[in-house]
Amino acid sequence: MMIKLTGGTVYDPAAGIDGKKQDIYIQDGRIVKKPAKDVPIDKEYDLKGKVVMSGAIDMHTHIGGGKGNIARTLLPEDHRHDPVARTECTRSGCGHAMPSTFVTGYRYAEMGYTAGFEPAVLPVNARQAHMEMGDIPILDKGGYVMLGSDDYLLRMLTAKKDQKAVNDYVAWTINAAKAIGVKVVNPGGINAFKFNQRKLDLDEQNSHYGVTPRQILQSLATAVKELGVSHPLHVHGCNLGVPGNMETTLNTIEGIGGLPMHLTHIQFHSYGTEGDFKFSSGAAQIAEAVNKHKNITIDVGQILFGQTVTASGDNMRQHANHKHANPNKWVTMDIECDAGCGVVPFKYRDQNFVNALQWAIGLETFLLVDDPWRIFLTTDHPNGAPFTSYPHLIRLLMDKSFRNDMLATLHPEAQKMTTLASIDREYTLNEIAIMTRAGAAKLIGLHDRGGLSPGNWADITVYTDNADREKMFEKPDYVFKDGDLVVRDGKVIATKWGTTHVVQPDFDPSVEKGLKDYFDRYLTMKLGNFKISDDEITEDGRGSITVHPLKGRA
C-alpha cells in the first residue's frame, strides 16, 4: 500500500530540512522515495498548512519497573480522578502522575510521541520492567540498565580489576537485561546508604568499599565508550536536590576527562547557596560548562507545578526528602545487592520559594545552552511533572511573553533570584524537532528513527500550526506509527505494538564463571534466571526486538 502525505511543511533536522514544503511517501511501514508515475497512490492526506515532524522520542521517562507499581499502589487516589479527561475514574486504566501502561501509550501517542525510554532498569528487575513496557501500546521502548551501586562492580573496583574485566561485566549485563544503554544513579551512593552513609560526594569514599563516585563514573564511562555503545553513560549525579550541588556537577563534568557523558535531570543538580534562603540558581554556570565541553549532553528534568510522585532508585536522597512527602506517605527500600528504591509523593507549589526557583532554573538551563542537539526536553517523568505536561513546557520555551507572565505570578523572592525575565531566546519549531526527535534518536543510537528520510520507519506526527504552541502540541491532527494511522484529531483510533530497542556488545563468555559463583553465594536469583531471552519479549506477538549497531562496527 502506497500512502502519500501531500504538501506539509516539514521540519526534519536529521536531514537538514527546516520548514520546507514537501511530499512524503510511505510503503510497508517505511518512508520511501517518490514512486514512479505508474505506481498508484492508495491513500492520500492533504497536509497543506500543516506542520510535519517525525514521531517524538522521550529519551528519559520512567515507564517501566518496580518503582512505578509501588507509586501506583501508594497513591490509589491518583487513579480515581483523571485530570486529563476531567472525569472520575473507577477503573485501573487511568492515573495522572503514574498512569497505567495502556494509558501511558495512549497519552504519549495523542501528543505525537512514538517512543519512550526507561532510564533505570535494575538488572535484577529487568524482566518486570520489560513486561511492563511490553504492555504499553503504540510506543517503541528501550531501557538503560542501572550499574554503579551493585556489589559485584564495587568489588571489582576495590580489587582493582583491569578495564577489560569491567567492560566484559558491563557488556554481559547489557545483554542479560536487554538494554540499549547504561545508567548510573548517585554512583556508589545507593550502596553507601546501606552502610549508614547519608551522603556521598564525588570524591568521598564508600565506607565499605573505599571506592569514590568519580572512580565509578570513569570506569563505567570508559566501558560504554570502549564497547561502542552509542548512548553515553547516563548519569544521575551525586547530591541531587542539595543546595550547592552545582559545584559537584561542575566537578563531574571536568573530572570525566573528555569521555562522553549524559547528565540527566540536570535541573536537580544546578543549585547554589546564595541569598537569604541559601538556595540559588546555578543554571548559568552549568550551561557555560555544557557549552564548553562538547562531550557532555544533558536533559533538564523541568519541574512544573502541581501534584506528582517522585520515584527513584536513589534511596539515599529519597530518604532525605521523605519529610516533604505530600500526601504524607512514602516508601524507601533496599533491593538485593544491586541498588534501592524510593517513592515520595510531592506537590510543587508556585508560591513556594524553592519550587518556584526550581521552575526558573530548569527554564534558564534550556535557554542558556546553545546547542539544541545536546539538550533534551524532559520532566524526568513523573519526578518533575507527568509527561502529559510537555505541551505546556514547549510553550514556555517558545513564547517569551507567556513565560514572563507565568514568572510574574510566582513567589516574589524567587523572581528576584532568577535572570529568566531578561532572557530573550525563544525556541523555534526546528529546535523543538531537534530536542524531541532528531537529537534524541542520534543520542540513543536509533539509526532509522527520528527523521523523515527514505528508509526510516514511518513514525510521523502532523500538527496544525498554532501561535498557542501548547494547543498545537497537545493535539496532533495525525500520528502514524510504522506507517499506520494511530491518532486522528488528538485521539487514538487504532493501536499496535512497538519494538524494543537494544544493543548487544561483545564480551568474553568466561565472565560467567565468576558471576555464577557470585550468584550462587550471594543472590536469591540464579544466573540462568537473571538473563532475559528474546522470546520473553516477543512470544505473545506484541512486540519485536531491534538490535542497533555499535559505534565503529558495521
Side-chain angles (χ1 to χ4, degrees):
M1 181 176 182
M2 181 68 71
I3 300 171
K4 181 182 180 183
L5 310 182
T6 304
T9 302
V10 172
Y11 292 85
D12 181 15
I17 297 171
D18 181 3
K20 178 182 177 182
K21 290 182 180 177
Q22 67 177 54
D23 301 334
I24 296 173
Y25 297 88
I26 303 168
Q27 188 176 40
D28 298 330
R30 290 185 183 264
I31 298 169
V32 297
K33 294 179 180 179
K34 182 178 180 179
K37 289 184 179 180
D38 59 344
V39 175
I41 302 299
D42 300 291
K43 178 71 175 177
E44 183 172 2
Y45 294 85
D46 183 357
L47 303 187
K48 295 182 182 68
K50 308 290 186 183
V51 170
V52 183
M53 298 181 181
S54 64
I57 300 166
D58 194 342
M59 50 75 63
H60 183 112
T61 175
H62 294 284
I63 55 173
K67 61 190 175 297
N69 283 335
I70 294 170
R72 295 181 185 109
T73 304
L74 190 66
L75 292 170
E77 60 271 28
D78 184 55
H79 292 260
R80 293 191 190 118
H81 177 69
D82 186 339
V84 176
R86 295 181 175 86
T87 60
E88 293 300 318
C89 184
T90 57
R91 302 175 61 189
S92 62
C94 55
H96 171 60
M98 185 61 77
S100 66
T101 51
F102 271 65
V103 173
T104 294
Y106 298 153
R107 289 183 181 165
Y108 261 119
E110 287 171 350
M111 297 190 306
Y113 277 76
T114 54
F117 288 81
E118 165 58 55
V121 175
L122 194 61
V124 76
N125 194 42
R127 180 170 283 103
Q128 191 277 337
H130 280 293
M131 289 177 69
E132 186 171 353
M133 288 191 288
D135 205 42
I136 296 173
I138 301 173
L139 294 188
D140 285 358
K141 64 278 295 184
Y144 317 139
V145 69
M146 265 179 69
L147 293 171
S149 275
D150 45 310
D151 176 67
Y152 193 84
L153 175 68
L154 296 178
R155 285 170 182 259
M156 292 181 78
L157 297 181
T158 301
K160 295 183 168 36
K161 296 287 186 180
D162 63 25
Q163 186 64 46
K164 174 64 166 59
V166 173
N167 292 2
D168 284 336
Y169 170 61
V170 171
W172 179 87
T173 307
I174 290 172
N175 279 272
K178 292 286 184 282
I180 196 168
V182 177
K183 167 80 171 293
V184 181
V185 175
N186 190 357
I190 302 171
N191 180 285
F193 185 73
K194 302 177 185 186
F195 296 96
N196 210 33
Q197 282 181 271
R198 292 296 181 256
K199 65 178 184 64
L200 191 68
D201 211 343
L202 187 63
D203 292 304
E204 189 174 355
Q205 288 188 346
N206 180 298
S207 62
H208 182 73
Y209 299 90
V211 176
T212 69
R214 187 189 298 272
Q215 291 173 286
I216 295 168
L217 291 175
Q218 289 174 337
S219 177
L220 288 176
T222 299
V224 168
K225 181 180 180 182
E226 291 184 354
L227 291 170
V229 176
S230 291
H231 187 42
L233 183 66
H234 196 97
V235 177
H236 162 144
C238 306
N239 297 326
L240 178 142
V242 177
N245 63 10
M246 72 169 187
E247 295 299 335
T248 300
T249 305
L250 293 171
N251 289 336
T252 302
I253 292 171
E254 290 287 348
I256 203 65
L259 289 166
M261 181 172 63
H262 180 85
L263 295 175
T264 191
H265 44 64
I266 202 165
Q267 178 276 136
F268 290 106
H269 303 269
S270 302
Y271 303 153
T273 57
E274 298 175 4
D276 294 340
F277 295 91
K278 304 302 180 187
F279 183 79
S280 59
S281 172
Q285 295 94 320
I286 298 297
E288 182 181 8
V290 173
N291 289 336
K292 176 183 174 184
H293 293 84
K294 306 305 182 185
N295 58 306
I296 301 297
T297 55
I298 62 172
D299 64 82
V300 173
Q302 179 69 35
I303 77 110
L304 296 164
F305 303 115
Q307 181 68 54
T308 191
V309 58
T310 63
S312 173
D314 194 348
N315 55 352
M316 175 183 277
R317 296 312 315 157
Q318 290 294 71
H319 181 266
N321 291 333
H322 77 266
K323 57 185 176 291
H324 302 299
N326 186 349
N328 187 20
K329 46 186 174 178
W330 54 281
V331 172
T332 300
M333 61 185 291
D334 179 31
I335 302 174
E336 288 257 4
C337 297
D338 266 6
C341 178
V343 178
V344 181
F346 198 86
K347 189 171 186 177
Y348 293 100
R349 301 177 185 274
D350 58 1
Q351 297 308 309
N352 175 285
F353 168 79
V354 171
N355 296 167
L357 193 53
Q358 287 177 302
W359 177 90
I361 290 168
L363 293 174
E364 286 177 338
T365 305
F366 272 118
L367 298 165
L368 294 173
V369 170
D370 297 332
D371 185 359
W373 289 91
R374 294 195 294 119
I375 186 170
F376 301 93
L377 188 142
T378 65
T379 58
D380 188 24
H381 164 77
N383 293 295
F387 66 82
T388 47
S389 60
Y390 286 173
H392 177 73
L393 175 54
I394 289 172
R395 185 179 180 190
L396 288 168
L397 296 175
M398 298 189 73
D399 187 338
K400 178 189 175 184
S401 62
F402 175 69
R403 184 167 69 230
N404 285 348
D405 287 346
M406 288 284 295
L407 176 63
T409 68
L410 305 189
H411 190 292
E413 294 302 316
Q415 294 182 47
K416 296 176 185 177
M417 294 293 290
T418 177
T419 61
L420 186 60
S422 66
I423 302 176
D424 293 330
R425 182 180 178 185
E426 294 179 322
Y427 269 69
T428 65
L429 285 172
N430 196 57
E431 288 174 325
I432 294 296
I434 293 171
M435 273 204 306
T436 60
R437 275 101 169 156
K442 179 181 178 182
L443 180 77
I444 298 168
L446 309 181
H447 64 282
D448 52 8
R449 310 277 174 173
L452 299 173
S453 296
N456 276 18
W457 284 99
D459 295 349
I460 302 171
T461 304
V462 179
Y463 303 98
T464 294
D465 201 354
N466 190 327
D468 184 335
R469 298 307 193 187
E470 184 170 353
K471 290 182 178 178
M472 173 179 169
F473 280 95
E474 70 184 4
K475 188 179 179 181
D477 295 76
Y478 304 108
V479 179
F480 296 86
K481 178 74 188 86
D482 297 339
D484 293 332
L485 183 64
V486 293
V487 171
R488 180 188 289 122
D489 296 329
K491 294 295 181 184
V492 170
I493 61 168
T495 62
K496 61 182 305 176
W497 302 100
T499 193
T500 297
H501 297 280
V502 303
V503 289
Q504 295 178 344
D506 295 330
F507 59 89
D508 185 339
S510 67
V511 70
E512 289 199 353
K513 182 180 184 305
L515 281 164
K516 183 180 184 304
D517 293 343
Y518 178 82
F519 271 70
D520 289 345
R521 181 172 181 183
Y522 295 110
L523 300 187
T524 59
M525 183 185 288
K526 296 299 183 183
L527 184 70
N529 300 115
F530 190 88
K531 296 186 288 185
I532 301 171
S533 69
D534 289 358
D535 289 345
E536 292 179 74
I537 294 176
T538 63
E539 64 184 352
D540 64 359
R542 283 188 171 186
S544 60
I545 292 177
T546 298
V547 181
H548 290 275
L550 300 165
K551 279 188 174 180
R553 280 88 161 165

